[in-house]
Amino acid sequence: MLERSFVLLPLCEILPPTFIHPVTAEPVHDHLKQLVTGTRQVDPNVQTSIDLVNLVPLVDNSKEFRYIEYDLFNNKSKTQLMSILNVTPDSFSDGHSSNLIVENVMKKIDNMITNGVDIIDIGGCSTRPNSEQPSEEEELSRVLPVIKAARAKYPSSDDILISIDTYRSRVAEESIKAGADIINDVSAGLFDEKMYDVVTKYGTPYIINHLRGDISTMSKLTTYKETKDNDLQVFTKANNQPAMLINEVSKELCQCISKMTEKGVRRWQIILDPGLGFAKNLDQNLDIIRELPLLKKYNQLNTATGEFLSFEHIPLLLGPSRKRFIGKITGKDVASDRINGTSAAVTACIGYGSDIVRIHDYKEMKDACLMADAIYKGIR
């Protein structure tokens, strides 16, 4: 066991760093570190390589095992480019009535695929602060025709991965039935806990975004203070304000994860999004990007229940695209003028550890991803 990373790493995802191996009297986490750092040499007859990849399973419509692959062990996976496709008239940077015409949307999809986008994130409901929310029926009428048309032309996930950007469980379920591969829930189930039932039923990848409050109140909920919980042991010490912010965001995400795992959502379905621009001010957005390595190492143990939750080796998504904090820093009031600022932010997100970036300007951000992967991951 101690010479097999494929045994130790899954164990370290469910056992806290304080768990002691009953024979060696050393923490199991230390044994994994010994393999990773090379202080413990592995007999090649036992395991030829310690390297591992994470597989996030996709919905099994073809009776074949399909998945998204991430090399989170060595950080050697190509950054995935998720392109935003708003089927809305009122989104903050590209809302227009023409977005509701399927033929127009299909031209955008064709262009996205031609330019090497990995995931198309289709949304029929604007989540900008204080935006008016359409009815569930209106949201369905916007997204389903687009998903069906896209899947008719591009039937396989090998052609393109389709994500549905929604916080409503019925919209998520109908979109999966129509051909969507991924659920991207801006509320992580806080707006509709039936979402967990849908994610469990279909086994889809589930992107969970951190926010507070709701669409109308989240921009006012940017005060983060260190919470005290006698039953919660956090293994990342908050020695400064940015670290405290990361810990509090992580704790709140863990509250959602605890609820969804009770409903049957599996750890390997989860993709984390710390929620840039959602209940975060300018400095907090910058702190989250800088402190991504801390977020990726977050671990907590509930000493009362024994529940251990770890963010290690979970894919991470960030969406800085055209956000207001970029506009404030660069002096660009018009969202569509923030391409250069977005490119810099995307490069930083990748450098600090993001596995997926969610963007509007896919042509320009494709180049940013290629350069960042070459510089920070040695991939070219």
Side-chain angles (χ1 to χ4, degrees):
M1 181 178 107
L2 302 183
E3 295 180 342
R4 290 170 169 83
S5 58
F6 67 88
V7 176
L8 283 176
L9 191 143
L11 278 177
C12 290
E13 292 174 352
I14 60 174
L15 297 175
T18 52
F19 185 88
I20 304 298
H21 190 282
V23 175
T24 67
E26 294 181 54
V28 172
H29 283 251
D30 285 359
H31 286 299
L32 179 61
K33 290 176 184 176
Q34 290 165 14
L35 290 185
V36 173
T37 59
T39 55
R40 182 185 183 91
Q41 296 299 317
V42 179
D43 184 341
N45 294 318
V46 174
Q47 180 172 276
T48 57
S49 171
I50 65 168
D51 294 341
L52 297 167
V53 294
N54 284 59
L55 304 183
V56 179
L58 295 167
V59 178
D60 186 9
N61 292 327
S62 62
K63 304 305 178 184
E64 297 179 0
F65 179 55
R66 302 180 305 127
Y67 55 86
I68 313 172
E69 181 177 311
Y70 299 96
D71 181 356
L72 305 179
F73 199 78
N74 297 305
N75 192 33
K76 289 295 183 182
S77 289
K78 177 181 74 73
T79 301
Q80 288 184 306
L81 194 65
M82 173 186 274
S83 183
I84 297 167
L85 183 62
N86 288 319
V87 193
T88 57
D90 59 342
S91 291
F92 84 96
S93 69
D94 60 353
H96 197 274
S97 58
S98 63
N99 292 340
L100 305 180
I101 301 172
V102 175
E103 291 77 11
N104 292 344
V105 178
M106 282 304 300
K107 290 178 182 178
K108 292 182 181 180
I109 290 175
D110 292 340
N111 197 257
M112 289 174 180
I113 293 174
T114 299
N115 283 278
V117 165
D118 300 292
I119 306 168
I120 296 177
D121 192 37
I122 299 173
C125 182
S126 174
T127 53
R128 63 180 171 82
N130 299 311
S131 59
E132 184 176 347
Q133 302 300 285
S135 68
E136 186 176 89
E137 294 301 325
E138 176 65 23
E139 186 180 357
L140 285 166
S141 72
R142 293 174 180 178
V143 300
L144 291 183
V146 173
I147 295 172
K148 291 175 182 177
R151 270 295 169 244
K153 187 168 185 180
Y154 303 101
S156 171
S157 60
D158 293 332
D159 299 319
I160 191 68
L161 290 168
I162 295 176
S163 170
I164 176 65
D165 178 10
T166 186
Y167 55 77
R168 291 170 169 151
S169 59
R170 183 177 167 221
V171 174
E173 181 163 22
E174 294 303 318
S175 297
I176 294 295
K177 291 178 181 178
D181 301 289
I182 301 167
I183 297 172
N184 181 13
D185 180 0
V186 71
S187 78
L190 292 176
F191 294 174
D192 183 355
E193 283 199 17
K194 291 182 180 178
M195 184 70 83
Y196 302 152
D197 298 322
V198 173
V199 177
T200 299
K201 179 180 178 180
Y202 292 95
T204 57
Y206 186 35
I207 300 169
I208 58 169
N209 176 86
H210 174 268
L211 58 62
R212 287 174 159 184
D214 56 30
I215 301 302
S216 62
T217 63
M218 61 182 176
S219 60
K220 302 173 185 177
L221 302 175
T222 59
T223 299
Y224 292 81
K225 297 180 180 179
E226 186 172 8
T227 56
K228 302 295 184 181
D229 190 331
N230 295 330
D231 294 331
L232 196 65
Q233 182 179 359
V234 175
F235 294 94
T236 306
K237 301 302 179 185
N239 298 321
N240 52 43
Q241 189 71 18
M244 183 277 294
L245 171 67
I246 291 295
N247 278 0
E248 293 308 308
V249 168
S250 299
K251 289 176 188 176
E252 292 175 16
L253 279 172
C254 281
Q255 290 174 0
C256 297
I257 293 173
S258 184
K259 291 178 182 178
M260 68 182 69
T261 52
E262 285 183 1
K263 291 291 189 75
V265 178
R266 304 301 186 186
R267 186 181 192 275
W268 54 78
Q269 293 175 253
I270 296 171
I271 297 171
L272 294 173
D273 182 348
L276 293 176
F278 291 88
K280 318 287 188 309
N281 60 32
L282 187 153
D283 289 331
Q284 290 164 348
N285 287 317
L286 298 177
D287 284 340
I288 284 176
I289 294 173
R290 292 192 200 101
E291 300 297 335
L292 285 183
L294 200 61
L295 181 78
K296 291 169 79 79
K297 294 179 180 178
Y298 182 81
N299 294 308
Q300 71 172 44
L301 172 66
N302 188 317
T303 56
T305 65
E307 180 185 47
F308 176 67
L309 296 175
S310 169
F311 289 175
E312 294 194 65
H313 305 105
I314 292 181
L316 187 66
L317 179 149
L318 263 78
S321 187
R322 298 184 180 181
K323 289 284 174 72
R324 185 178 300 174
F325 77 96
I326 295 175
K328 287 184 177 180
I329 292 171
T330 61
K332 300 293 192 301
D333 294 330
V334 179
S336 58
D337 290 341
R338 300 169 187 166
I339 295 177
N340 288 340
T342 296
S343 181
V346 163
T347 302
C349 288
I350 295 170
Y352 281 113
S354 186
D355 304 292
I356 310 165
V357 289
R358 182 177 181 271
I359 46 78
H360 295 84
D361 306 290
Y362 50 91
K363 292 181 182 179
E364 293 86 351
M365 296 313 125
K366 182 68 176 182
D367 289 348
C369 287
L370 290 171
M371 287 305 303
D373 280 352
I375 294 168
Y376 294 108
K377 300 181 180 180
I379 300 172
R380 59 185 179 88

